Amino acid sequence: PLLDKTDAGMQCDKIYNPTVWFDEDAGIYHMWFAADVTNLGTQIGHATSADGLDWVADPHNPVIGVDEMAGTDFSAFTPGDVIVDAGGVMHMFYGGLLQVGQQIQYAVGHATSTDGSRWDLHGGEPILQGAPGQWDSMVVAFPDVFFHDATYYLFYAGSSTVANQGSFYYVDNAQLGYATSADAIHWERQTPDEPLPLGYVNPGYPRVYFVNDRLHIWFTDRWPAALPAGGEQDRAWLNYGIIDW
């Protein structure tokens, strides 16, 4: 592996869900990843590389950890997309778990940094979450963001269902939606009544690129839920779609 838990620069049981940004001026790759720690939850680590192959863990790992979570509404963090604005400020859109009454809800938070290592969570309140009674009421997760024509676009997986196995929570029956913002902080959901009509069973982890007035979306999906669980038919697959904007 390019990086495993023994090289993560922090105590953790596993690392996963990486997001990468390349600093063209410095010639450095930055990677942020989720790190699960028993009895502490999920934290965010950071590593850098000159070639994308050999990675060095950040000595400040976890860069968003238990101490940072203590003053927020979230109980766990996983990195989403990281984009850099014209002023060189990094914006991380992370996913997290909220306790809403007796239920667990997925929502999106926002943090900024100038070096990728030290992050300001701006109070740690969610910037985007589902609305009661809507298709994405319980889950707004796996954010991916791009900037176009003075507008930020955030694509996400949403659902009205959060499943769990013991202390492990996961998204079920997901679909994709998106929201827009002028400042990366205040967002308006553009698909409040129904998700994007992609025609897939359980899409998630969207990755989006805007090229020549066409939106290119990569996302994971699974075979129909009616098929028997386990084996080849229960694995996730990568799909690709194009939407005319």
Side-chain angles (χ1 to χ4, degrees), residues 204-221:
Y205 295 96
R207 290 294 179 263
V208 295
Y209 296 91
F210 192 77
V211 181
N212 297 328
D213 293 328
R214 305 193 84 186
L215 184 70
H216 299 248
I217 306 179
W218 287 259
F219 53 91
T220 58
D221 187 44

Side-chain angles (χ1 to χ4, degrees), residues 152-218:
Y152 292 91
Y153 293 82
L154 186 154
F155 283 74
Y156 63 90
S159 178
S160 60
T161 303
V162 175
N164 74 291
Q165 293 178 342
S167 61
F168 174 71
Y169 295 90
Y170 61 95
V171 178
D172 200 14
N173 300 317
Q175 293 295 323
L176 301 188
Y178 78 99
T180 57
S181 172
D183 60 6
I185 298 173
H186 303 93
W187 293 85
E188 181 178 357
R189 290 157 61 244
Q190 299 297 323
T191 49
D193 299 323
E194 60 183 16
L196 292 171
L198 298 178
Y200 289 84
V201 174
N202 195 21
Y205 295 96
R207 290 294 179 263
V208 295
Y209 296 91
F210 192 77
V211 181
N212 297 328
D213 293 328
R214 305 193 84 186
L215 184 70
H216 299 248
I217 306 179
W218 287 259

Side-chain angles (χ1 to χ4, degrees), residues 66-82:
V66 174
D67 292 342
E68 289 79 13
M69 287 184 219
T72 75
D73 293 338
F74 292 94
S75 61
F77 290 141
T78 58
D81 200 12
V82 175

Side-chain angles (χ1 to χ4, degrees), residues 137-151:
S137 59
M138 296 303 295
V139 175
V140 173
F142 316 130
D144 196 68
V145 179
F146 71 93
F147 185 74
H148 176 70
D149 265 354
T151 300

